[in-house]
Amino acid sequence: MKIKLVVLSVFAFCSMFNAEAQKLKKFGSSIEKKVGPKTIKVPYTDVISYLGYAAAGNEDEIVDNKKFYYIYLWVPAVAPELGVRMLSPVAKTKVKDAITAAAYTENASSDDYFDTYITLERSTIFKKEDITADAAKNATWTKLASNDDSSEMPKQPSGRSYNSLLRYKSEMGSPTKALTVGLYRIGFTTYKTGEVKGTFLAEVAAPVKLPGVVMAKTIEELKKGL
Ligand SMILES: [Ca+2]
């Protein structure tokens, strides 16, 4: 009887964990609101999702011995705040209307995942006519924010909270720290140096509708969406 109870509670715990692992909450902004006794983070109104697959040898750059992958983002209007979050693996996480990379579709059933680490960087390119692969390569990129692990994100299959989430508030009037119109990129890698491999979901969000936001893995793809 005792054993049965233990088995049952372990089963109940695992089911709970599985349900939690696959459920991604709405992306809450830094704006908080009281709802009865609780304080909630008001969800961002505009969320763009990207499903990708990172694999050995297709990194964009090596920075401090870490293989960095980038996703480019064109922001066509001044934003008060941007949120970025990343989850690996995608597994059974439900995602609506995501931009889906071919590499993701080919590897959607992969069990591989990695300890995500994200950065939000702003370039010195402020006009969409100026966006070219060379210009992006030669631009000065300023890191606005970064995050390694967030307890707000679902746990990874290891049971660890190694997924990432950041919110960045514009420093209005600052020439380098304001969220102006321009070309941004999200950098992602693992906390550890070495291989990055697995499916991932990256989301960029704003508290206001930003019509014309384009997110793509490469500058060539981004230009097609402009
Ligand atoms: Ca992490």
Side-chain angles (χ1 to χ4, degrees), residues 114-118 147-150 156 161-164 189-191:
F114 55 96
D115 174 356
T116 64
Y117 182 95
I118 52 174
N147 179 260
D148 180 8
D149 304 332
S150 170
Q156 293 194 317
S161 295
Y162 283 171
N163 287 315
S164 317
T189 182
T190 52
Y191 175 69

Side-chain angles (χ1 to χ4, degrees), residues 123-142:
S123 76
T124 39
I125 299 170
F126 305 110
K127 286 185 196 157
K128 60 177 164 184
E129 309 85 82
D130 294 344
I131 302 175
T132 62
D134 272 350
K137 210 175 180 179
N138 298 322
T140 302
W141 292 91
T142 305

